[in-house]
Amino acid sequence: MKITYLGHSCFTVAVGGKHLLFDPFVSGNPLATNVRIEDIRCDYVLLTHAHSDHIADVETVMKVNPEAMIISIWEIYAYYSAKGYKAHPMNKGGWYTFDFGRVKMVDAVHSSSFPDGAYGGEAVGFVLDTAEGALYVAGDTALTTDMQLIPKICPPLKAAILPIGSNFTMDYCDAVLASDFLECNRIIGCHFDTFGFIRIDHEKAKAAFAEKGKHLHLPAIGETIEI
Ligand code: NI
Ligand code: MN
């Protein structure tokens, strides 16, 4: 499984011969000037919630990838399918098997509305269960004890992508505890540095994980991690 960081909470995951894109937000990210949203090729677009820093480039991506399918909570599905885009609705707790593996939609503690004020349902995270291993993508969330359920109901995680920038989500100290709850010591950080509110000290964040024998990866924008 190859994970490429495109800034903020936007990643592509290459798995099972398919390309999954999470939370496309590139054109509005002042740090992601080396990424061209029009060049992203994907088969699926997974959306954790409807805030603009997670969906701003959805329609651009769907126009250059007309066969791609959005995977999201019901309300986001309804919003994009009404505009004519291909989409698959899910809700929290469910698994669904796609051609790259199974996806479980899990809870995230955060809000969700579209930039135009439309209701976005609730914020979610995803667990991917594939032939190349399992990955948890938390989306924007606070630390929550519900994360303890994930290792009980999902296969062991190879890695987890957690928000660590504080202000809008948990911070890296909470993410260390989240890593305990998830029983996963390989964490990839996201939702940091994009705006002043969420700027972090990289060395302190990495040290907080290293002290507990865990690894925090803070990818550079454009960097690919193989897990
Ligand atoms: Ni958000
Ligand atoms: Mn966000």
Side-chain angles (χ1 to χ4, degrees):
M1 189 184 310
K2 280 187 181 162
I3 301 168
T4 301
Y5 185 49
L6 301 177
H8 201 54
S9 288
C10 182
F11 291 85
T12 55
V13 176
V15 63
K18 300 291 169 184
H19 289 85
L20 284 53
L21 173 68
F22 288 83
D23 287 357
F25 170 70
V26 169
S27 58
N29 182 350
L31 305 183
T33 50
N34 60 333
V35 181
R36 268 177 50 85
I37 193 76
E38 297 82 2
D39 294 343
I40 297 172
R41 291 292 168 268
C42 59
D43 304 294
Y44 296 93
V45 180
L46 290 88
L47 304 174
T48 63
H49 64 296
H51 288 158
S52 59
D53 59 320
H54 299 259
I55 60 141
D57 293 319
V58 168
E59 297 198 41
T60 306
V61 164
M62 293 302 282
K63 283 184 179 117
V64 294
N65 296 274
E67 296 305 313
M69 181 186 275
I70 293 168
I71 301 173
S72 67
I73 202 163
W74 176 266
E75 288 79 4
I76 296 179
Y77 153 85
Y79 183 93
Y80 285 115
S81 53
K83 291 179 173 228
Y85 298 109
K86 209 158 90 175
H88 175 95
M90 292 185 73
N91 217 316
K92 295 177 187 180
W95 285 106
Y96 191 80
T97 302
F98 298 88
D99 55 3
F100 59 86
R102 289 197 306 165
V103 174
K104 187 179 185 67
M105 182 171 276
V106 297
D107 197 24
V109 176
H110 193 71
S111 58
S112 180
S113 55
F114 284 90
D116 64 6
Y119 176 56
E122 291 189 357
V124 307
F126 296 101
V127 177
L128 309 184
D129 172 21
T130 78
E132 296 167 43
L135 173 72
Y136 170 50
V137 179
D140 282 7
T141 186
L143 176 65
T144 163
T145 52
D146 279 1
M147 289 170 179
Q148 294 174 94
L149 292 172
I150 289 175
K152 297 193 182 347
I153 56 179
C154 298
L157 299 172
K158 261 190 164 174
I161 299 177
L162 302 181
I164 55 164
S166 200
N167 192 69
F168 297 116
T169 68
M170 61 181 160
D171 61 11
Y172 59 77
C173 300
D174 289 356
V176 173
L177 197 48
S179 154
D180 286 343
F181 288 171
L182 296 165
E183 299 175 15
C184 176
N185 289 337
R186 184 169 190 183
I187 303 299
I188 299 166
C190 71
H191 217 274
F192 63 93
D193 286 357
T194 318
F195 327 107
F197 293 142
I198 59 174
R199 215 158 277 149
I200 64 161
D201 183 320
H202 291 210
E203 292 319 309
K204 280 188 184 160
K206 288 177 187 172
F209 277 79
E211 270 169 32
K212 303 282 182 187
K214 299 171 183 289
H215 183 72
L216 174 66
H217 196 101
L218 296 178
I221 296 174
E223 183 179 343
T224 298
I225 303 158
E226 186 146 13
I227 64 163

